[in-house]
């Protein structure tokens, strides 16, 4: 999967595609129910967290596929409150979309991505702990997740 994403330069495309799909669901929102409203709220929060993290990272951003690497530990903006906000944001975005579009194939695909990003967080935690030691341990203590 990582090879395909890198080969086809899909790192940026996925971000844009999920945002466009989310906006589509917002625009076509009809028949307000508690569940659909909850889905839109979760989806919106996810996009807000995700894009906030992306903008905070600036040049430190990479698509997050393959072997982790670090240019510098970002500790400002949303990163001062949440560890791995890009991954948490995309996971919330996907969960919100699953509530809005509860088709079994879409839910299965989304849950595979959610599990992948949870795995990716663990990999990056180990890598950052190895590379940064106490600096990363202190950062983790200062953040919510």
């Amino acid at each position: 999967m990582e090879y395909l994403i890198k080969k086809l330069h899909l790192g940026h495309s996925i971000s844009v595609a999920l945002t466009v799909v989310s906006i589509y669901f917002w625009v076509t929102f009809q028949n307000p129910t508690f569940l659909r409203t909850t889905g839109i709220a979760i989806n919106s929060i996810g996009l807000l967290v995700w894009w906030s993290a992306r903008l905070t990272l600036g040049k430190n951003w990479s698509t997050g596929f393959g072997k982790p690497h670090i240019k510098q530990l970002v500790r400002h903006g949303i990163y001062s409150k949440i560890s791995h906000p890009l991954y948490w944001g995309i996971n919330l975005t996907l969960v919100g979309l699953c509530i809005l579009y509860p088709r079994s194939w879409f839910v299965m695909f989304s849950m595979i991505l959610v599990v992948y990003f949870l795995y990716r967080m663990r990999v990056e935690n180990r890598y950052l702990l190895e590379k940064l030691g106490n600096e990363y341990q202190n950062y983790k203590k200062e953040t919510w997740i």
Side-chain angles (χ1 to χ4, degrees), residues 60-88:
N60 287 311
W61 185 73
S62 68
T63 54
F65 302 102
K67 187 176 180 180
H69 65 282
I70 184 171
K71 295 174 187 163
Q72 85 180 62
L73 182 60
V74 176
R75 299 177 79 137
H76 62 279
I78 195 165
Y79 281 85
S80 67
K81 306 293 181 211
I82 301 173
S83 175
H84 303 294
L86 276 171
Y87 297 142
W88 288 114

Side-chain angles (χ1 to χ4, degrees), residues 126-142:
R126 284 193 300 263
Y127 173 79
L128 292 168
L129 187 58
E130 178 184 307
K131 289 291 183 190
L132 303 173
N134 287 337
E135 180 185 4
Y136 189 66
Q137 281 181 331
N138 292 336
Y139 168 75
K140 289 292 285 180
K141 289 177 187 174
E142 296 168 3

